[in-house]
């Protein structure tokens, strides 16, 4: 009899080429995504006179530094223009496919990959970006790597990795109105902490996960690393197969039918063992916002700002005190009603069409009390949103509708939050200065950001959804 295996075990074993004495595995990589920030790795190759091992398995996307305004005009920032130009040159020199600024399919790498059908169940995927874990929503092993590792994959199409421990997060029940995948992710990170899943590959399971769309699963896996996880995964099922059918790079015809059988067989065996098992109840999850400078600083919108004097140990008290000082918040006050200066909807976490629909459902017929920006996750999402009239809802509400890119999530491209300003954001990190020097970031779902825009404060979206169809 064979030992029952998890989803991670099955995909890992299929890609393991060799194992060193210390247990580190050499893995074959099916998809390697690079972006304009990957120029360091290409320079390493050039210094050694090396070429790409598998140009057909390397895919470039211009997303991190590209401006979202004035698209089509020359890039004003000379250093960013040089990085984008270097990516173009590397693609031409090495012969890999590029979704550049002049491509109608350009977007954020973790949106473009799944959207194009490059992200497939049972594959291994790496990128020089920590949120590569997003792709695990389709049953792939996907993780971020450093510049040296990027160069190694370019040169060999392999990577040395220690197999992570196996962790399962089961979410059962039914989510209430106004509660979605972002809230589920922030709920478990808030409960377990920023190091709660350190060293683990997380498999998400349970009725809530099965009921999520692929877009929701992408959000869930995207945030895995914010709880310390190495990667996140969801087993392929009927929802996965339906979503992949017809994608440009997905198999077609009988090849797709055969692939579907193989993909469904990747699910964890019923008796497979996990190193850790965590169970959450959907009934206990409300719309969540962050209050501090780590994603673990997450609470229901109905909660109060933590009081460091009530912390259970001095180190925790000092961390709370420092976070509140940076965020300009007073302990013990309700989170709801905290004024915000601006809002942002976008990033690889929450910029897909489902996310934009959720925000538009709240904003339709209403005006934002604060300025804000909406940046779709890809040029194709932008076109679809405009065909559905979502752009008009955002613009009529008073928000800016811009082009696709990482935008205000990373603050590298001119889209930043001013020092001392408070931003309600759909992004993945609320670290100090993440959205700009001195910026104060509150993470939440697209619907909750829309509610903050309407109220001008952190607000509970649920009353705003009364009588409205929720997408």
């Amino acid at each position: 009899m064979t030992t029952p295996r998890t989803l991670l075990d099955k995909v890992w074993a299929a890609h393991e080429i060799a194992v060193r004495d210390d247990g580190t595995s050499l893995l074959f990589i099916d998809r390697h995504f690079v972006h304009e920030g990957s120029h360091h790795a290409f320079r390493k190759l050039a210094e050694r006179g090396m070429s790409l091992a598998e140009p057909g398995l390397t895919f470039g996307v211009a997303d991190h530094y590209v401006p979202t305004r004035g698209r089509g005009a020359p890039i004003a920032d000379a250093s960013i223009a040089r990085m984008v130009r270097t990516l173009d040159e590397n693609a031409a020199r090495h012969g890999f496919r590029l979704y550049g600024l002049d491509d109608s399919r350009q977007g954020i790498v973790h949106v473009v990959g799944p959207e194009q059908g490059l992200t497939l169940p049972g594959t291994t995927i790496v990128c020089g970006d920590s949120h590569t874990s997003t792709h695990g929503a389709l049953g792939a092993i996907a993780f971020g790597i450093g510049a040296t590792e990027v160069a190694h994959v370019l040169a060999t199409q392999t990577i040395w990795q220690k197999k992570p421990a196996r962790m399962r997060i089961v979410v059962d029940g039914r989510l209430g109105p106004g509660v979605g995948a972002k809230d589920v992710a922030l709920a478990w990170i808030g409960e377990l902490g920023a190091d709660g899943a350190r060293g683990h590959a997380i498999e998400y399971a349970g009725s809530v996960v099965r009921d999520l769309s692929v877009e929701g699963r992408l959000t869930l896996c995207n945030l895995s690393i914010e709880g310390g996880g190495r990667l996140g995964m969801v087993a392929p099922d009927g929802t996965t197969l339906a979503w992949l059918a017809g994608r440009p790079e997905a198999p077609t015809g009988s090849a797709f039918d055969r692939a579907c059988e193989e993909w469904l067989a990747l699910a964890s065996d019923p008796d497979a063992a996990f190193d850790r098992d965590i169970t959450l109840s959907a009934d206990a999850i409300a719309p969540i916002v962050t209050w501090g400078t780590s994603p673990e600083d997450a609470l229901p919108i109905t909660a109060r700002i933590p009081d460091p004097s009530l912390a259970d140990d001095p180190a925790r008290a000092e961390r709370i005190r420092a976070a509140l000082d940076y965020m300009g918040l007073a302990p013990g006050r309700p989170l709801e009603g905290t004024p915000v200066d601006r809002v942002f909807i976008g990033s690889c976490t929450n910029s897909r069409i489902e996310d934009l629909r959720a925000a538009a459902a709240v904003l339709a017929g209403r005006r934002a009390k604060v300025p804000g920006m909406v940046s779709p996750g890809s040029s194709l999402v932008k076109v679809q949103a405009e065909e559905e009239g979502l752009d008009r809802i955002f613009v009529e509400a008073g928000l800016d509708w811009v082009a696709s890119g990482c935008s205000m999530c990373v603050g590298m491209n001119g889209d930043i939050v001013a020092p001392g300003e408070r931003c309600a954001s759909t992004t993945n990190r609320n670290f100090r200065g993440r959205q700009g020097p001195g910026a104060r970031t509150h993470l939440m779902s697209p619907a909750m950001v829309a509610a903050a825009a309407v109220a001008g404060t952190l607000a509970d979206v649920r009353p705003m959804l009364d009588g409205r169809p929720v997408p």
Side-chain angles (χ1 to χ4, degrees), residues 2 27 46 61 65 74 98 106 129 168 184-186 205 219 237 239 267 272 278 313 330 391 421:
T2 58
L27 299 179
V61 182
Y65 296 84
L98 173 63
Q106 178 272 339
D129 180 86
R168 179 168 54 190
V184 173
L186 291 176
T219 295
D237 60 10
T239 299
I278 304 295
D313 69 81
D391 62 317
E421 280 195 346

Side-chain angles (χ1 to χ4, degrees), residues 86-453:
T86 299
L87 180 61
D88 291 344
E89 293 168 351
N90 281 321
R93 180 179 301 115
H94 293 284
F96 62 84
R97 191 184 313 174
L98 173 63
Y99 298 91
L101 290 185
D102 58 350
D103 193 304
S104 62
R105 302 163 297 178
Q106 178 272 339
I108 304 172
V109 60
H110 309 313
V111 176
V112 171
E115 184 176 71
Q116 290 300 312
L118 291 168
T119 303
L120 296 173
T123 56
T124 50
I125 299 172
V126 296
C127 175
D129 180 86
S130 55
H131 293 101
T132 306
S133 57
T134 308
H135 303 259
L138 290 159
I141 288 179
F143 52 89
I145 57 177
T148 300
E149 292 173 311
V150 169
H152 187 279
V153 177
L154 290 173
T156 69
Q157 206 59 35
T158 66
I159 191 169
W160 288 100
Q161 283 289 296
K162 198 72 172 270
K163 187 177 181 180
R166 296 159 296 191
M167 179 177 184
R168 179 168 54 190
I169 296 180
V170 178
V171 191
D172 278 324
R174 189 176 184 84
L175 298 175
V179 181
K182 185 69 164 284
D183 303 296
V184 173
L186 291 176
W188 82 254
I189 295 169
E191 181 174 326
L192 301 183
D195 289 326
R198 181 167 297 280
H200 289 75
I202 304 166
E203 180 175 338
Y204 296 98
S207 59
V208 166
V209 178
R210 289 194 298 273
D211 289 343
L212 287 177
S213 64
V214 168
E215 286 90 344
R217 297 174 186 184
L218 289 163
T219 295
L220 196 57
C221 289
N222 174 276
L223 288 159
S224 298
I225 62 161
E226 306 308 336
R230 183 68 176 114
L231 56 97
M233 303 179 80
V234 177
D237 60 10
T239 299
T240 313
L241 306 187
W243 196 83
L244 285 170
R247 298 281 164 184
E249 301 301 325
T252 59
S254 59
F256 183 76
D257 295 335
R258 290 193 301 271
C260 286
E261 292 182 17
E262 296 173 2
W263 294 339
L264 292 176
L266 293 173
S268 292
D269 296 329
D271 297 327
F274 289 84
D275 300 287
R276 290 188 68 191
D277 255 311
I278 304 295
T279 301
L280 300 179
S281 171
D283 297 338
I285 302 175
I288 290 179
V289 300
T290 59
W291 54 267
T293 55
S294 167
E296 73 177 5
D297 300 334
L299 289 169
I301 184 63
T302 52
R304 291 180 176 272
I305 297 166
D307 187 337
S309 69
L310 302 177
D312 52 9
D313 69 81
R316 170 68 176 161
E318 180 53 36
R319 204 188 75 75
I320 294 173
R321 193 174 293 112
L324 295 184
D325 180 64
Y326 179 83
M327 293 295 291
L329 297 173
R333 294 183 62 85
L335 277 166
E336 190 167 12
T338 301
V340 300
D341 299 296
R342 66 179 56 251
V343 300
F344 174 67
I345 298 171
S347 87
C348 60
T349 311
N350 284 123
S351 62
R352 299 169 184 83
I353 193 66
E354 178 182 278
D355 301 312
L356 303 185
R357 288 170 181 158
V362 178
L363 287 164
R366 292 172 168 146
R367 288 284 300 177
K369 291 184 178 178
V370 294
M373 176 187 297
V374 183
S375 176
S378 74
S379 298
L380 293 180
V381 170
K382 187 172 190 288
V383 169
Q384 183 176 355
E386 290 170 352
E387 289 174 347
E388 295 182 13
L390 304 184
D391 62 317
R392 293 194 300 275
I393 291 174
F394 297 132
V395 171
E396 289 169 5
L399 304 181
D400 293 338
W401 176 248
V402 300
S404 60
C406 291
S407 187
M408 200 178 283
C409 178
V410 289
M412 298 174 175
N413 40 46
D415 297 343
I416 61 173
V417 177
E421 280 195 346
R422 190 179 307 283
C423 181
S425 180
T426 66
T427 53
N428 40 53
R429 288 183 172 160
N430 53 343
F431 302 162
R432 294 168 182 253
R434 170 72 176 186
Q435 291 191 286
R440 295 164 169 168
T441 301
H442 294 271
L443 306 178
M444 62 199 77
S445 71
M448 284 289 285
V449 169

